[in-house]
Amino acid sequence: MRVITCKNYEEMSKTAARLVAGQVSLKPNCVLGLATGSTPEGMYVELARMYQNGELDFSNVSTFNLDEYCPIDKENDQSYYYFMNKHLYSKVNLKPENLHIPNGSAKDIETECANYDKMIDSAGGIDLQILGIGSNGHIAFNEPEDELTAGTHRVELTEDTIKANSRFFASESDVPRHALTSGMATIMKSKKIILMISGKNKSEPLKKLLTGKITTSCPATMLNMHADVIVLADEDAMNG
Ligand code: PGA
């Protein structure tokens, strides 16, 4: 695991965008694994800027997002589809048929999840996965538990996560109680992973990750088993 300390959120965002741009330049038809949340927002701003300046072309890129609330309609302004459309899809030349997010309003959840993993495999697997981390150590919505799940699946959100995400909703009771999420194997099969960590409230899971120990009570620590992970952490997360 390579750890890069960035001065602040802005520097972390720009570094992540540069690494994504490098991947797209090296392999214009690459498959990107994308994340939502406050952490990657600045990276999306930078990617959109690079596209608008003619520095980046997404026309052959495919994307797969990590997760989505369930149930939720994609038109809901708290859905992850809405987030992605606002921050990236509407800003760059990704083709609609190349964008993928688990369908939070699917009738048959099991089939939706199984198909999602199959679609990633048939696209050739994820070349570069962007990840954030929860203050409880979750990655995507793989929450701390005795047992973790390999493939894409439906998960019940923990109280910690509901509380953390309630900042985007009118009230805590409006936060959906479930989500569809990539599983640990879905993430670990990615060829390369960039984990972005910003803010003092993320210093605890970062510390656990950097011990090199692996525990399901902090799912991010599983990344210690992956051969190609870059951690981009800002000073607040590093020193918090
Ligand atoms: P955040 O969420 O980027 O909004 O802090 C990250 C996560 O919960 O994985």
Side-chain angles (χ1 to χ4, degrees):
M1 182 165 343
R2 226 174 101 207
V3 182
I4 300 177
T5 306
C6 303
K7 217 168 50 213
N8 50 33
Y9 177 80
E10 194 189 350
E11 192 181 296
M12 177 194 70
S13 304
K14 288 189 171 160
T15 307
R18 266 202 305 277
L19 293 169
V20 172
Q23 172 67 67
V24 174
S25 306
L26 281 173
K27 187 177 174 190
N29 63 345
C30 65
V31 179
L32 299 178
L34 298 179
T36 48
S38 308
T39 309
E41 265 189 51
M43 176 193 75
Y44 291 131
V45 169
E46 187 60 13
L47 288 174
R49 189 196 63 72
M50 287 169 145
Y51 166 71
Q52 278 146 23
N53 283 353
E55 296 164 37
L56 255 183
D57 174 18
F58 288 93
S59 60
N60 291 310
V61 172
S62 298
T63 67
F64 286 86
N65 265 70
L66 287 166
D67 44 21
E68 178 60 283
Y69 289 119
C70 175
I72 203 159
D73 287 325
K74 58 196 237 191
E75 293 76 26
N76 185 314
D77 65 3
Q78 291 310 326
S79 77
Y80 287 168
Y81 178 88
Y82 190 97
F83 175 101
M84 289 308 297
N85 192 48
K86 177 170 168 198
H87 294 284
L88 189 71
Y89 303 163
S90 62
K91 303 268 166 75
V92 303
N93 64 338
L94 281 160
K95 292 200 182 105
E97 63 270 29
N98 291 341
L99 317 173
H100 307 88
I101 299 190
N103 178 3
S105 58
K107 292 229 161 50
D108 180 349
I109 295 294
E110 249 173 59
T111 306
E112 171 65 20
C113 292
N115 284 347
Y116 200 69
D117 283 330
K118 277 190 207 141
M119 278 194 296
I120 295 175
D121 288 343
S122 353
I126 288 170
D127 291 300
L128 174 61
Q129 175 68 58
I130 301 295
L131 285 180
I133 190 171
S135 48
N136 65 0
H138 72 205
I139 48 176
F141 276 127
N142 295 284
E143 302 281 15
E145 297 231 42
D146 289 345
E147 294 178 328
L148 301 176
T149 304
T152 298
H153 61 287
R154 180 173 178 266
V155 70
E156 187 172 348
L157 303 186
T158 60
E159 281 309 314
D160 283 348
T161 298
I162 292 168
K163 215 172 242 112
N165 291 11
S166 64
R167 69 192 195 274
F168 301 114
F169 291 81
S171 76
E172 205 172 301
S173 61
D174 291 333
V175 184
R177 268 30 192 179
H178 293 87
L180 304 185
T181 182
S182 298
M184 294 306 296
T186 321
I187 294 171
M188 295 291 280
K189 281 196 276 184
S190 309
K191 288 160 202 151
K192 191 184 224 354
I193 295 175
I194 294 175
L195 173 63
M196 302 173 71
I197 311 185
S198 166
K200 288 188 195 307
N201 62 326
K202 302 289 175 72
S203 64
E204 276 311 310
L206 174 57
K207 248 183 236 150
K208 285 188 189 152
L209 174 69
L210 298 182
T211 61
K213 299 234 161 62
I214 293 157
T215 167
T216 62
S217 65
C218 181
T221 59
M222 298 271 161
L223 297 174
N224 281 303
M225 291 192 285
H226 193 283
D228 195 352
V229 176
I230 297 179
V231 177
L232 294 181
D234 68 10
E235 284 181 1
D236 279 350
M238 248 356 208
N239 307 326

